[in-house]
Structure formats: C-alpha cells, structure tokens
Amino acid sequence: MSANLISDSQKKMILKDPISGMMWRLSWPAILAMVFFGLNTFLDSIFVGHLLGEHALSGVALAYPLTGLMLGLGSWVGTGAANLLSISLGADDESTQKKLLGTGFVLSLIMSLVFGIPAYFAAEYLIKIMGGEGQILALGTSYFSVTLFGTFFAVYALLLNFVVRGEGRMKQAAFMMLFGLVVNIILNPIFINVFAWGVAGAAWATNIGMLVYAVVGFMYFKKGKASFKADVTSIKYDKELGKKILQSGMPAMIMTIMMLVQSVIVFNAISNYGTDKDLAFYAAANRIYFFMLTPFFGLMRALQPAIGINFGAQNNDRVSASFWKFSWTGFLMLVPFTLALLIFPEQSLKMMLPDMVFNVQDIFMFRIYIAIAPFLSFVFMALSFFPAINKSGIASVLTLARQLILFVPLVLILSRYIGVAGIYYANSGIDIIVVLVTVVLCIKELKQLASSSVLTQKTPKTVSN
C-alpha cells in the first residue's frame, strides 16, 4: 500500500471513526511507546540500585532532572513539529510538511550544542546545585557527564519519533522506541557489572540506546515510509517555520524546566532537613511515581494528532469529544494501579531499595505522593490539547503557575517547619488545585470552540439566502 493511501486511511480514521475506536487505535501503541521510554530510566534505577547501592541511586537521581532537561529539548522541537504536522495534515498544507524535517534537524543540532557543551564543563557544579555532596556528588557527576555525549542523538531521536506520532502512526513510533530500549536493557548489566564501569556504564548504555533509536527513526523516513512528503536528509532551515515549531512546543520545554526547578528545590530541601536515606527514598518513590504516569504520556501523545487533525479540519465537536474521552480513559486506567500501590507500598519500593527498612512515616508519605495520580489525567490531556489548537500559551501558564507560584514557595515553607514530609504534602495539595483549575479552563475553551463551530455552520446558510 502506498504512503498516500495509508495517509488518507489514517486521516479518515481520525476524522470519521467512532471516538472510542479511534482512541484505541491511536492510544495503545502510544502508551506502549511511552512505557518503553519510561522503562529506560526505571530500569536504570533498578540496575543501579541493585548492583551499585543506595549512594549510586542517589547520585543518579540528582542527575536525572538534568538529563531530563536534555530530553526536554527533544520534546520541545518534537512536540512543536508534531503539532504543526497534524494541523497541516488536517488542512492539506503540503508546504509546511515538506520543510518540517530539515528545519527540525537544524533546531535539534543547535539545541544539542548550546546545551551539551556548557553542561559538560559545568557538570560537577550543576550536580552541586541539585544538592550533591561527597560520594553522591562524584557519582552524579560521572553519570551526567557521560550522558551528555548522547545529547544530539537523544534530541534528534525524539524529534523524529514525535513527528511519526504527529502523523497518527503510533505503532511505528512504539517499535522505533522499542529498539533503543532493548539495546539499553542488554547493555546496562554488561557495562555496570561485567565491564565494571559503575554509573558511567548505565549512562553509556542509555547513550547507545538513543543512538539506535535515532538511526531507526532516520531509516523510517529515508525509506519513504512517511505518510507525507518528508526529506530526512535536508538540512535546510525555514526561519518562519522554526519560529512556529518553537512556539508550539514551548509548553513541553517549560514543563521540563519547571520539573528541573522542582527537583532543585526538593533535593536541596532533603539535603537541608533530611538524610541520605531520605534522598534515596525520594529517588525511588519519584521513579515509581513517574513510571505510573507513563500511560498519560502515551495518551497525550495519541490525543495530539486526534485534536490537531480535527482542529485543522474545523471539526470542533470531535475535538471536544476526543478530549473528554481521552481524559476519563486515563483516569480510569490508573485507578487500579494506584490502589495496588496504596495497598502494597513497601513491596513496590523494595524493587529499587531492597536493603532499606521503611518506617511508618515513609509509607505514609509514599501513599500521599501517589494518591492524586489518576486525577492528573485531565492536566496531561490539557497540556496536549491547548498546543494542538494553537493555544500553547495557556498550557505554558498552567505549567509555570504550578511550579513557580505554588510549588516552590509551599515546599520551602513546609519543609522548614515540618521537615521532609512537607515535600510530599505540598506536591499532593498543589496537584489537587491544579487539576481543578485545569478542568475549568478546558471547559471554558471547549465552549468557545463549540460556539465557533455553530457560527461556522450558520454562515453559509446566511450567505446563500
């Protein structure tokens, strides 16, 4: 079957099929892809925790938000490119489609160099800012420094994969990610244990996995499998399109930066008011928490083409129906997993910290931390929804408000007066507020879309009369 026929079939499915069927076809491979992606860091934590111990896990935990910033660059350019591709597919805008990969490549290269080179020379200082000291500082610096050698491959791989998702071709995106994950899983114990490279071995395994991930994505476009006219060998930069990519993907980057800010505040609060055990415990709890959220990342990636293509085709009623269907599905999907973790918290934590003894307060804080997780489905879908309708500013404000206005001051205040427990109380309390505000904003925006849809339908009748 030709790429054009596949493209027409995919577009028709997104525009015409029942919402439930369309969501299923887009979502299960997207969720699978994000589970694969989440497994990269989750398995790194398990390997490091089991093979190298608590201090190594703490050092790697301090580096994760910084490596997350690197991945955030890929999400920035990738999300922006995917949003524009989806809208252009809905609007039959071939001009945008032809320039997308060349412009994305140049942005990926520039971002990688601007971030990677200074970060490499400032690696130890950055880990210190995260709260690293002594052996934990040395281990975190080692892991982060090595990871930076894979910056371009990580950013470029994410760009290509996000563009494939922007086509609505989630199965292909999932299989691309799977190749990199398998390589990472195989190499992790070999580099850490057999070669005795320690935490640097975990970083090299991730780098090589990202290289494979990028090569597989490149070959997909090189072999002409894309559903649009894509030139993956192009290095031609379109200034106007580059600006639009950066604007559309900005919420993804802001979210990454804010997560880094959150991590700096949290890790320093733990350093000031807690112990090395508290740091290792938070690292494990945080890895479990974010791995739990990976289905949301998959759903929001699947929602993006569903919203973008229908919005480009001015099918606003379907935009609204898709948002609510995806949001409630995410909520219901996570409820049983959350209940399992609430009932068996110690068994979950032992996966990464097999030798740690957990007290009553540890278990209570873990339960507080993860209890709100299902409700975040509405927030994650909103962060995909707003950029896909060309309103990325709302998503950016939501992210900034959550971190700077609410999280940072509340953590600083509570941790000072009640210690490390304040971090967990602040996180859950703030998320409740953010969920409520997000739902209100989405309802307001969807009503406006419904009104504009009614006006669009009435206008031709007025003219014909």
Side-chain angles (χ1 to χ4, degrees):
M1 187 180 292
S2 71
N4 286 336
L5 288 176
I6 294 172
S7 173
D8 291 341
S9 173
Q10 189 78 2
K11 182 175 173 181
K12 182 180 178 182
M13 181 268 291
I14 291 173
L15 291 171
K16 301 294 183 181
D17 279 12
I19 300 292
S20 295
M22 180 266 288
M23 180 187 68
W24 168 249
R25 289 178 63 181
L26 290 177
S27 295
W28 77 259
I31 292 172
L32 191 62
M34 294 315 298
V35 169
F36 291 157
F37 189 73
L39 276 172
N40 270 302
T41 53
F42 188 70
L43 289 174
D44 274 357
S45 298
I46 290 178
F47 283 127
V48 170
H50 277 261
L51 299 177
L52 299 173
E54 292 178 17
H55 280 85
L57 180 60
S58 297
V60 171
L62 293 181
Y64 270 142
L66 297 170
T67 59
L69 187 59
M70 173 181 73
L71 298 176
L73 296 173
S75 295
W76 185 4
V77 65
T79 301
N83 286 335
L84 294 178
L85 175 63
S86 296
I87 294 172
S88 71
L89 288 172
D92 295 319
D93 177 9
E94 292 189 3
S95 175
T96 295
Q97 297 166 25
K98 290 177 183 178
K99 303 175 200 173
L100 205 62
L101 290 182
T103 302
F105 172 84
V106 175
L107 286 174
S108 298
L109 182 60
I110 292 172
M111 288 178 175
S112 300
L113 294 174
V114 169
F115 171 75
I117 295 174
Y120 180 80
F121 290 104
E124 184 175 356
Y125 176 72
L126 292 172
I127 298 297
K128 277 185 180 178
I129 291 177
M130 298 299 298
E133 296 177 352
Q135 185 183 4
I136 292 175
L137 171 62
L139 291 166
T141 302
S142 175
Y143 182 85
F144 181 52
S145 298
V146 173
T147 303
L148 289 169
F149 286 103
T151 302
F152 173 72
F153 301 119
V155 174
Y156 189 54
L158 286 172
L159 163 69
L160 296 178
N161 200 263
F162 274 65
V163 170
V164 175
R165 296 177 206 169
E167 297 178 87
R169 304 178 76 173
M170 301 300 172
K171 289 182 186 178
Q172 288 84 347
F175 283 118
M176 289 175 190
M177 198 172 283
L178 179 60
F179 280 101
L181 172 65
V182 170
V183 170
N184 187 29
I185 291 174
I186 293 171
L187 294 181
N188 245 309
I190 295 174
F191 287 173
I192 293 173
N193 242 15
V194 179
F195 291 1
W197 291 352
V199 293
W204 279 118
T206 299
N207 287 347
I208 295 174
M210 284 296 180
L211 171 60
V212 172
Y213 183 17
V215 169
V216 172
F218 181 87
M219 294 308 298
Y220 166 86
F221 289 103
K222 180 67 176 175
K223 291 181 178 180
K225 294 183 179 180
S227 60
F228 63 101
K229 293 182 179 180
D231 184 4
V232 74
T233 61
S234 172
I235 56 173
K236 186 176 181 181
Y237 181 76
D238 184 278
K239 184 177 179 181
E240 188 62 30
L241 182 59
K243 181 180 178 182
K244 289 180 180 179
I245 288 174
L246 295 178
Q247 288 176 338
S248 185
M250 182 61 73
M253 189 59 195
I254 290 176
M255 183 166 66
T256 302
I257 294 172
M258 291 301 99
M259 288 174 67
L260 175 61
V261 171
Q262 174 177 326
S263 297
V264 171
I265 298 299
V266 168
F267 287 135
N268 278 279
I270 294 174
S271 296
N272 291 332
Y273 305 109
T275 64
D276 286 351
K277 178 196 170 183
D278 292 319
L279 182 57
F281 176 82
Y282 179 80
N286 198 45
R287 282 298 96 203
I288 293 170
Y289 177 72
F290 274 98
F291 186 63
M292 278 180 64
L293 298 181
T294 50
F296 291 165
F297 291 112
L299 276 172
M300 69 186 290
R301 302 309 178 203
L303 178 62
Q304 181 269 317
I307 296 292
I309 290 175
N310 278 291
F311 178 74
Q314 299 184 0
N315 198 353
N316 292 340
D317 290 342
R318 196 167 172 85
V319 168
S320 179
S322 297
F323 172 78
W324 290 117
K325 176 67 74 172
F326 276 71
S327 297
W328 280 110
T329 298
F331 172 83
L332 295 172
M333 184 185 300
L334 213 62
V335 166
F337 295 103
T338 304
L339 290 175
L341 289 171
L342 290 172
I343 296 169
F344 305 107
E346 190 167 350
Q347 290 84 343
S348 306
L349 291 162
K350 285 285 185 182
M351 287 190 295
M352 293 184 201
L353 299 170
D355 300 322
M356 183 177 286
V357 178
F358 305 106
N359 58 38
V360 174
Q361 185 182 24
D362 292 334
I363 299 303
F364 182 66
M365 290 189 300
F366 179 72
R367 284 173 168 154
I368 287 175
Y369 192 41
I370 60 132
I372 191 67
F375 297 92
L376 294 176
S377 176
F378 298 94
V379 178
F380 277 89
M381 297 314 119
L383 294 178
S384 190
F385 163 68
F386 286 114
I389 62 169
N390 280 330
K391 292 199 173 181
S392 57
I394 298 176
S396 298
V397 170
L398 265 177
T399 307
L400 284 168
R402 195 267 182 196
Q403 303 293 359
L404 292 183
I405 298 175
L406 297 173
F407 186 84
V408 171
L410 193 56
V411 166
L412 291 174
I413 293 169
L414 289 182
S415 61
R416 180 177 180 181
Y417 289 101
I418 63 176
V420 173
I423 296 168
Y424 298 90
Y425 289 126
N427 190 83
S428 295
I430 289 166
D431 279 342
I432 292 171
I433 296 171
V434 171
V435 168
L436 294 174
V437 171
T438 298
V439 170
V440 170
L441 288 174
C442 288
I443 290 173
K444 180 180 178 181
E445 190 60 42
L446 289 169
K447 284 182 178 179
Q448 290 179 357
L449 284 176
S451 299
S452 66
S453 181
V454 170
L455 289 174
T456 302
Q457 293 171 6
K458 288 183 177 181
T459 301
K461 296 179 181 180
T462 305
V463 174
S464 61
N465 288 340

